[in-house]
Amino acid sequence: MQSALSITCDFDSGNIVVLDASQPQNVRLAIRPDTRSPHFQWFHFKVEGMQVGETHTFSLTNASESSYNRAWTGYNAVASYDHKTWFRVPSHFDGKALNFTCSPEHSQIWFAYFEPYSRERHDWLMGQALNEAGTELLATGKSVEGRDIPLLRKGDGAPGKRKVWIIAQQHPGEHMAEWFMEGVIERLKEHDAQVQALLASADLYLVPHMNPDGAFHGHLRTNAQGKDLNRAWQDSTPELSPEVYFVKQQMERYGVDMFLDVHGDEEIPYVFTAACEGNPGYTDQQKTLEADFRARLSGLTKDFQTRYGYPKSAPGKANMNLACNSVGERYKCLSLTLEMPFKDNDDAPDPLTGWSGARSMRLAHDVLTVIGEMVSVLR
Ligand code: GEM
Ligand code: ZN
């Protein structure tokens, strides 16, 4: 007799609505929208009570209404039996629902849109950053719901040093972003010659997580006020977007010589950057630095390319509410949005994991190498 399946999401970044779990071969689910926002795409839930080896089929029945509904084609969900090691499960978008089937090796399994980065791991990472990687806690912002937003600095802030800023996960469902930040902090622990050369001329200003409320609540895109933080860089307020308000305040206090805003992209199966070509005050130096960064990184790893990405903004037509454009305009510096895929990098596919936390970390290693090569020409 099949015991009833138990499907839950009452945990960090959990998101699912159970419609009907009475039939293991046709478990009907739905993704819950962000709070105070129609955005949704992120899901993360646990299934218990499965019959090992029996076929179980799960349907996210509202996938066609999600924020990026074209992104389900070619996408495979991630799964884990221990909530630590994740793998892809073959998935199929039928134009309405995203469906995936598994014959489990264990009676419990987790599914998610991408390998989750938990608040617990974030707290561990902050400890690593402060105690092992030699960063200092420069300031702490607060999210809408009062969660800490640490600003870390690697370096002594001495006059004349370049200020390189990296922020991550403005969009809370883009968990690859904090995996990337773990890669940055892991590299800083290695004390290798390239990093030492970088740190001789530059300080790193790191905000490993911009949107802890949204991530905790299983949001795709917004903070606890339903605000898309990457649309708040011209009009942030302490009430609606304190996360951005805090970082902008700190940027004014310390200055910016390079900016990297780390994101994930639902649809494009490649790693790429977007830049400031549409800014009204776009400079030739910014154009040169953007091309230099892209050429160096694509020469260093197959996990970056410049053939695919967002359409270029027309001159003077950029949306200045985006972090990349706003910071590039204000500081006339190299300012980039870095996008990693929710799917895989089709230039170097990994059928088992697709794009993953570990690959996000490796990318960070290479990005720091490139920044080290460019630090002397940032200004
Ligand atoms: C994107 S950044 C959008 C950049 N678009 C162009 N054409 N330069 C966003 O905020 O929508 C980042 C993301 O969501 O990952
Ligand atoms: Zn994003």
Side-chain angles (χ1 to χ4, degrees):
M1 174 63 181
Q2 163 73 34
S3 59
L5 291 179
S6 162
I7 298 178
T8 56
C9 67
D10 56 335
F11 44 76
D12 179 7
S13 80
N15 183 326
I16 205 66
V17 176
V18 180
L19 303 178
D20 179 356
S22 61
Q23 300 175 62
Q25 295 82 356
N26 181 24
V27 180
R28 300 181 66 256
L29 307 166
I31 303 173
R32 185 187 65 236
D34 292 10
T35 315
R36 298 189 184 87
S37 161
H39 279 295
F40 71 85
Q41 192 115 2
W42 172 263
F43 61 89
H44 180 196
F45 59 95
K46 181 180 183 182
V47 185
E48 296 171 283
M50 296 190 294
Q51 296 295 316
V52 172
E54 294 292 307
T55 300
H56 294 66
T57 297
F58 302 88
S59 286
L60 302 181
T61 57
N62 62 346
S64 62
E65 299 152 52
S66 73
S67 300
Y68 302 96
N69 57 13
R70 294 183 316 186
W72 298 116
T73 303
Y75 167 78
N76 293 308
V78 295
S80 175
Y81 291 115
D82 62 5
H83 219 216
K84 295 185 184 73
T85 303
W86 295 80
F87 53 92
R88 296 280 173 163
V89 290
S91 307
H92 170 66
F93 180 57
D94 62 19
K96 176 84 180 72
L98 181 79
N99 310 293
F100 42 94
T101 296
C102 79
S103 302
E105 297 168 11
H106 302 275
S107 63
Q108 72 174 24
I109 197 168
W110 285 263
F111 291 108
Y113 186 37
F114 189 81
E115 183 176 0
Y117 200 98
S118 69
R119 193 66 180 166
E120 180 185 8
R121 191 168 183 128
H122 167 84
D123 292 341
W124 166 83
L125 182 62
M126 293 311 98
Q128 290 288 299
L130 297 171
N131 304 322
E132 306 294 333
T135 69
E136 69 174 296
L137 180 61
L138 212 50
T140 302
K142 287 289 185 187
S143 68
V144 169
E145 293 178 339
R147 291 181 175 86
D148 285 356
I149 311 237
L151 166 61
L152 307 172
R153 181 172 66 192
K154 175 68 178 176
D156 57 8
K161 293 186 74 179
R162 297 292 180 233
K163 281 87 74 176
V164 176
W165 285 73
I166 308 177
I167 73 172
Q169 215 159 337
Q170 288 197 84
H171 294 136
E174 296 165 12
H175 287 245
M176 56 288 278
E178 190 156 25
W179 283 111
F180 180 96
M181 295 308 277
E182 181 171 325
V184 170
I185 289 160
E186 286 302 301
R187 181 92 195 258
L188 295 180
K189 287 164 54 178
E190 289 163 13
H191 292 299
D192 62 272
Q194 288 172 314
V195 168
Q196 292 315 308
L198 165 61
L199 296 173
S201 325
D203 291 337
L204 300 182
Y205 292 74
L206 308 174
V207 183
H209 202 314
M210 284 287 293
N211 196 338
D213 298 349
F216 184 79
H217 293 301
H219 289 181
L220 171 74
R221 191 104 181 143
T222 62
N223 71 355
Q225 288 279 24
K227 188 73 183 160
D228 180 339
L229 295 184
N230 205 28
R231 298 298 185 275
W233 284 73
Q234 293 300 321
D235 57 2
S236 60
T237 68
E239 296 73 28
L240 289 178
S241 43
E243 302 89 353
V244 171
Y245 192 86
F246 163 70
V247 169
K248 287 188 69 175
Q249 223 175 23
Q250 299 300 317
M251 287 180 163
E252 287 298 316
R253 180 175 177 188
Y254 293 103
V256 184
D257 294 312
M258 179 184 168
F259 176 59
L260 189 64
D261 180 22
V262 186
H263 285 255
D265 181 82
E266 291 79 5
E267 191 168 354
I268 300 173
Y270 294 99
V271 179
F272 60 95
T273 52
C276 298
E277 71 282 342
N279 283 13
Y282 189 49
T283 68
D284 288 343
Q285 188 186 28
Q286 286 176 306
K287 182 176 182 177
T288 302
L289 289 170
E290 290 163 9
D292 190 11
F293 179 92
R294 287 167 166 158
R296 289 176 186 275
L297 190 55
S298 43
L300 199 54
T301 173
K302 286 176 69 67
D303 275 345
F304 180 79
Q305 56 75 54
T306 57
R307 305 180 323 282
Y308 300 95
Y310 296 138
K312 293 284 187 278
S313 299
K317 298 294 184 194
N319 180 340
M320 301 312 287
N321 257 318
L322 273 68
C324 169
N325 299 333
S326 171
V327 173
E329 188 74 358
R330 168 72 183 81
Y331 297 99
K332 294 291 185 283
C333 64
L334 174 58
S335 180
L336 298 165
T337 303
L338 176 67
E339 295 286 351
M340 293 173 279
F342 278 97
K343 297 176 183 176
D344 198 348
N345 165 18
D346 283 1
D347 281 339
D350 182 329
L352 176 63
T353 65
W355 192 257
S356 66
R359 295 178 77 180
S360 305
M361 291 176 66
R362 270 202 302 277
L363 180 66
H365 189 286
D366 293 334
V367 164
L368 281 183
T369 297
V370 169
I371 296 173
E373 292 170 354
M374 292 183 65
V375 67
S376 59
V377 297
L378 288 178
R379 287 296 186 194

